[in-house]
mmCIF file with all atom_site columns, all heavy atoms in Angstrom:
data_model
loop_
_atom_site.group_PDB
_atom_site.id
_atom_site.type_symbol
_atom_site.label_atom_id
_atom_site.label_alt_id
_atom_site.label_comp_id
_atom_site.label_asym_id
_atom_site.label_entity_id
_atom_site.label_seq_id
_atom_site.pdbx_PDB_ins_code
_atom_site.Cartn_x
_atom_site.Cartn_y
_atom_site.Cartn_z
_atom_site.occupancy
_atom_site.B_iso_or_equiv
_atom_site.pdbx_formal_charge
_atom_site.auth_seq_id
_atom_site.auth_comp_id
_atom_site.auth_asym_id
_atom_site.auth_atom_id
_atom_site.pdbx_PDB_model_num
ATOM 1  N N   . ASN A 1 107 ? 9.279  -10.025 -32.639 1.00 0.00 ? 107 ASN A N   1
ATOM 2  C CA  . ASN A 1 107 ? 9.073  -11.381 -32.539 1.00 0.00 ? 107 ASN A CA  1
ATOM 3  C C   . ASN A 1 107 ? 7.552  -11.789 -32.493 1.00 0.00 ? 107 ASN A C   1
ATOM 4  O O   . ASN A 1 107 ? 7.257  -13.032 -32.625 1.00 0.00 ? 107 ASN A O   1
ATOM 5  C CB  . ASN A 1 107 ? 9.713  -11.948 -31.231 1.00 0.00 ? 107 ASN A CB  1
ATOM 6  C CG  . ASN A 1 107 ? 11.183 -11.888 -31.246 1.00 0.00 ? 107 ASN A CG  1
ATOM 7  O OD1 . ASN A 1 107 ? 11.767 -11.716 -32.380 1.00 0.00 ? 107 ASN A OD1 1
ATOM 8  N ND2 . ASN A 1 107 ? 11.794 -11.868 -30.097 1.00 0.00 ? 107 ASN A ND2 1
ATOM 9  N N   . GLY A 1 108 ? 6.741  -10.747 -32.449 1.00 0.00 ? 108 GLY A N   1
ATOM 10 C CA  . GLY A 1 108 ? 5.229  -11.075 -32.320 1.00 0.00 ? 108 GLY A CA  1
ATOM 11 C C   . GLY A 1 108 ? 4.619  -10.592 -33.640 1.00 0.00 ? 108 GLY A C   1
ATOM 12 O O   . GLY A 1 108 ? 3.283  -10.300 -33.494 1.00 0.00 ? 108 GLY A O   1
ATOM 13 N N   . ILE A 1 109 ? 5.132  -10.569 -34.793 1.00 0.00 ? 109 ILE A N   1
ATOM 14 C CA  . ILE A 1 109 ? 4.494  -10.358 -36.035 1.00 0.00 ? 109 ILE A CA  1
ATOM 15 C C   . ILE A 1 109 ? 4.837  -11.421 -37.122 1.00 0.00 ? 109 ILE A C   1
ATOM 16 O O   . ILE A 1 109 ? 5.741  -12.321 -36.858 1.00 0.00 ? 109 ILE A O   1
ATOM 17 C CB  . ILE A 1 109 ? 4.859  -8.963  -36.627 1.00 0.00 ? 109 ILE A CB  1
ATOM 18 C CG1 . ILE A 1 109 ? 6.384  -8.921  -36.841 1.00 0.00 ? 109 ILE A CG1 1
ATOM 19 C CG2 . ILE A 1 109 ? 4.448  -7.799  -35.682 1.00 0.00 ? 109 ILE A CG2 1
ATOM 20 C CD1 . ILE A 1 109 ? 6.868  -7.611  -37.551 1.00 0.00 ? 109 ILE A CD1 1
ATOM 21 N N   . GLY A 1 110 ? 4.026  -11.452 -38.149 1.00 0.00 ? 110 GLY A N   1
ATOM 22 C CA  . GLY A 1 110 ? 4.270  -12.577 -39.210 1.00 0.00 ? 110 GLY A CA  1
ATOM 23 C C   . GLY A 1 110 ? 3.563  -13.853 -38.875 1.00 0.00 ? 110 GLY A C   1
ATOM 24 O O   . GLY A 1 110 ? 2.877  -13.971 -37.856 1.00 0.00 ? 110 GLY A O   1
ATOM 25 N N   . PRO A 1 111 ? 3.799  -14.794 -39.693 1.00 0.00 ? 111 PRO A N   1
ATOM 26 C CA  . PRO A 1 111 ? 3.079  -16.213 -39.558 1.00 0.00 ? 111 PRO A CA  1
ATOM 27 C C   . PRO A 1 111 ? 3.410  -16.705 -38.080 1.00 0.00 ? 111 PRO A C   1
ATOM 28 O O   . PRO A 1 111 ? 4.604  -16.643 -37.673 1.00 0.00 ? 111 PRO A O   1
ATOM 29 C CB  . PRO A 1 111 ? 3.667  -17.006 -40.655 1.00 0.00 ? 111 PRO A CB  1
ATOM 30 C CG  . PRO A 1 111 ? 4.290  -16.084 -41.708 1.00 0.00 ? 111 PRO A CG  1
ATOM 31 C CD  . PRO A 1 111 ? 4.724  -14.754 -40.936 1.00 0.00 ? 111 PRO A CD  1
ATOM 32 N N   . ARG A 1 112 ? 2.359  -17.115 -37.435 1.00 0.00 ? 112 ARG A N   1
ATOM 33 C CA  . ARG A 1 112 ? 2.620  -17.473 -36.058 1.00 0.00 ? 112 ARG A CA  1
ATOM 34 C C   . ARG A 1 112 ? 3.593  -18.666 -35.841 1.00 0.00 ? 112 ARG A C   1
ATOM 35 O O   . ARG A 1 112 ? 4.448  -18.620 -34.846 1.00 0.00 ? 112 ARG A O   1
ATOM 36 C CB  . ARG A 1 112 ? 1.301  -17.855 -35.429 1.00 0.00 ? 112 ARG A CB  1
ATOM 37 C CG  . ARG A 1 112 ? 0.394  -16.705 -35.092 1.00 0.00 ? 112 ARG A CG  1
ATOM 38 C CD  . ARG A 1 112 ? -0.767 -16.931 -34.271 1.00 0.00 ? 112 ARG A CD  1
ATOM 39 N NE  . ARG A 1 112 ? -1.641 -15.775 -34.485 1.00 0.00 ? 112 ARG A NE  1
ATOM 40 C CZ  . ARG A 1 112 ? -2.743 -15.831 -35.245 1.00 0.00 ? 112 ARG A CZ  1
ATOM 41 N NH1 . ARG A 1 112 ? -3.180 -17.023 -35.823 1.00 0.00 ? 112 ARG A NH1 1
ATOM 42 N NH2 . ARG A 1 112 ? -3.482 -14.782 -35.426 1.00 0.00 ? 112 ARG A NH2 1
ATOM 43 N N   . ASP A 1 113 ? 3.479  -19.700 -36.766 1.00 0.00 ? 113 ASP A N   1
ATOM 44 C CA  . ASP A 1 113 ? 4.396  -20.688 -36.636 1.00 0.00 ? 113 ASP A CA  1
ATOM 45 C C   . ASP A 1 113 ? 5.777  -20.380 -36.860 1.00 0.00 ? 113 ASP A C   1
ATOM 46 O O   . ASP A 1 113 ? 6.624  -21.276 -36.658 1.00 0.00 ? 113 ASP A O   1
ATOM 47 C CB  . ASP A 1 113 ? 3.871  -21.834 -37.463 1.00 0.00 ? 113 ASP A CB  1
ATOM 48 C CG  . ASP A 1 113 ? 3.806  -21.585 -38.957 1.00 0.00 ? 113 ASP A CG  1
ATOM 49 O OD1 . ASP A 1 113 ? 4.085  -20.473 -39.263 1.00 0.00 ? 113 ASP A OD1 1
ATOM 50 O OD2 . ASP A 1 113 ? 3.492  -22.446 -39.812 1.00 0.00 ? 113 ASP A OD2 1
ATOM 51 N N   . GLN A 1 114 ? 6.067  -19.142 -37.360 1.00 0.00 ? 114 GLN A N   1
ATOM 52 C CA  . GLN A 1 114 ? 7.465  -18.740 -37.633 1.00 0.00 ? 114 GLN A CA  1
ATOM 53 C C   . GLN A 1 114 ? 8.000  -17.810 -36.662 1.00 0.00 ? 114 GLN A C   1
ATOM 54 O O   . GLN A 1 114 ? 9.121  -17.341 -36.848 1.00 0.00 ? 114 GLN A O   1
ATOM 55 C CB  . GLN A 1 114 ? 7.742  -18.282 -39.076 1.00 0.00 ? 114 GLN A CB  1
ATOM 56 C CG  . GLN A 1 114 ? 7.429  -19.413 -40.142 1.00 0.00 ? 114 GLN A CG  1
ATOM 57 C CD  . GLN A 1 114 ? 7.272  -18.769 -41.501 1.00 0.00 ? 114 GLN A CD  1
ATOM 58 O OE1 . GLN A 1 114 ? 7.830  -17.735 -41.903 1.00 0.00 ? 114 GLN A OE1 1
ATOM 59 N NE2 . GLN A 1 114 ? 6.390  -19.352 -42.322 1.00 0.00 ? 114 GLN A NE2 1
ATOM 60 N N   . ARG A 1 115 ? 7.150  -17.561 -35.714 1.00 0.00 ? 115 ARG A N   1
ATOM 61 C CA  . ARG A 1 115 ? 7.676  -16.457 -34.744 1.00 0.00 ? 115 ARG A CA  1
ATOM 62 C C   . ARG A 1 115 ? 8.606  -16.985 -33.741 1.00 0.00 ? 115 ARG A C   1
ATOM 63 O O   . ARG A 1 115 ? 8.433  -18.050 -33.147 1.00 0.00 ? 115 ARG A O   1
ATOM 64 C CB  . ARG A 1 115 ? 6.417  -15.857 -33.996 1.00 0.00 ? 115 ARG A CB  1
ATOM 65 C CG  . ARG A 1 115 ? 5.454  -15.086 -34.878 1.00 0.00 ? 115 ARG A CG  1
ATOM 66 C CD  . ARG A 1 115 ? 4.269  -14.497 -34.137 1.00 0.00 ? 115 ARG A CD  1
ATOM 67 N NE  . ARG A 1 115 ? 3.280  -13.921 -34.998 1.00 0.00 ? 115 ARG A NE  1
ATOM 68 C CZ  . ARG A 1 115 ? 2.140  -13.421 -34.608 1.00 0.00 ? 115 ARG A CZ  1
ATOM 69 N NH1 . ARG A 1 115 ? 1.735  -13.355 -33.297 1.00 0.00 ? 115 ARG A NH1 1
ATOM 70 N NH2 . ARG A 1 115 ? 1.282  -12.990 -35.508 1.00 0.00 ? 115 ARG A NH2 1
ATOM 71 N N   . PRO A 1 116 ? 9.707  -16.229 -33.497 1.00 0.00 ? 116 PRO A N   1
ATOM 72 C CA  . PRO A 1 116 ? 10.643 -16.794 -32.465 1.00 0.00 ? 116 PRO A CA  1
ATOM 73 C C   . PRO A 1 116 ? 10.084 -16.839 -31.147 1.00 0.00 ? 116 PRO A C   1
ATOM 74 O O   . PRO A 1 116 ? 9.131  -15.932 -30.859 1.00 0.00 ? 116 PRO A O   1
ATOM 75 C CB  . PRO A 1 116 ? 11.767 -15.596 -32.642 1.00 0.00 ? 116 PRO A CB  1
ATOM 76 C CG  . PRO A 1 116 ? 11.523 -14.849 -33.860 1.00 0.00 ? 116 PRO A CG  1
ATOM 77 C CD  . PRO A 1 116 ? 10.055 -14.969 -34.201 1.00 0.00 ? 116 PRO A CD  1
ATOM 78 N N   . THR A 1 117 ? 10.604 -17.612 -30.348 1.00 0.00 ? 117 THR A N   1
ATOM 79 C CA  . THR A 1 117 ? 10.171 -17.830 -28.891 1.00 0.00 ? 117 THR A CA  1
ATOM 80 C C   . THR A 1 117 ? 11.095 -16.931 -28.068 1.00 0.00 ? 117 THR A C   1
ATOM 81 O O   . THR A 1 117 ? 12.231 -16.410 -28.456 1.00 0.00 ? 117 THR A O   1
ATOM 82 C CB  . THR A 1 117 ? 10.142 -19.228 -28.429 1.00 0.00 ? 117 THR A CB  1
ATOM 83 O OG1 . THR A 1 117 ? 11.500 -19.629 -28.624 1.00 0.00 ? 117 THR A OG1 1
ATOM 84 C CG2 . THR A 1 117 ? 9.193  -20.028 -29.349 1.00 0.00 ? 117 THR A CG2 1
ATOM 85 N N   . MET A 1 118 ? 10.696 -16.760 -26.782 1.00 0.00 ? 118 MET A N   1
ATOM 86 C CA  . MET A 1 118 ? 11.506 -16.065 -25.890 1.00 0.00 ? 118 MET A CA  1
ATOM 87 C C   . MET A 1 118 ? 11.226 -16.714 -24.398 1.00 0.00 ? 118 MET A C   1
ATOM 88 O O   . MET A 1 118 ? 10.144 -17.330 -24.327 1.00 0.00 ? 118 MET A O   1
ATOM 89 C CB  . MET A 1 118 ? 11.305 -14.561 -25.815 1.00 0.00 ? 118 MET A CB  1
ATOM 90 C CG  . MET A 1 118 ? 10.013 -14.262 -25.250 1.00 0.00 ? 118 MET A CG  1
ATOM 91 S SD  . MET A 1 118 ? 9.670  -12.361 -25.106 1.00 0.00 ? 118 MET A SD  1
ATOM 92 C CE  . MET A 1 118 ? 10.539 -12.039 -23.586 1.00 0.00 ? 118 MET A CE  1
ATOM 93 N N   . VAL A 1 119 ? 12.109 -16.560 -23.492 1.00 0.00 ? 119 VAL A N   1
ATOM 94 C CA  . VAL A 1 119 ? 11.794 -16.850 -22.105 1.00 0.00 ? 119 VAL A CA  1
ATOM 95 C C   . VAL A 1 119 ? 11.202 -15.717 -21.362 1.00 0.00 ? 119 VAL A C   1
ATOM 96 O O   . VAL A 1 119 ? 11.800 -14.627 -21.391 1.00 0.00 ? 119 VAL A O   1
ATOM 97 C CB  . VAL A 1 119 ? 13.085 -17.335 -21.482 1.00 0.00 ? 119 VAL A CB  1
ATOM 98 C CG1 . VAL A 1 119 ? 12.796 -17.774 -19.982 1.00 0.00 ? 119 VAL A CG1 1
ATOM 99 C CG2 . VAL A 1 119 ? 13.645 -18.659 -22.164 1.00 0.00 ? 119 VAL A CG2 1
#
Side-chain angles (χ1 to χ4, degrees):
N107 294 341
I109 56 172
R112 280 188 207 107
D113 58 357
Q114 291 167 33
R115 294 184 190 175
T117 59
M118 68 175 281
V119 177

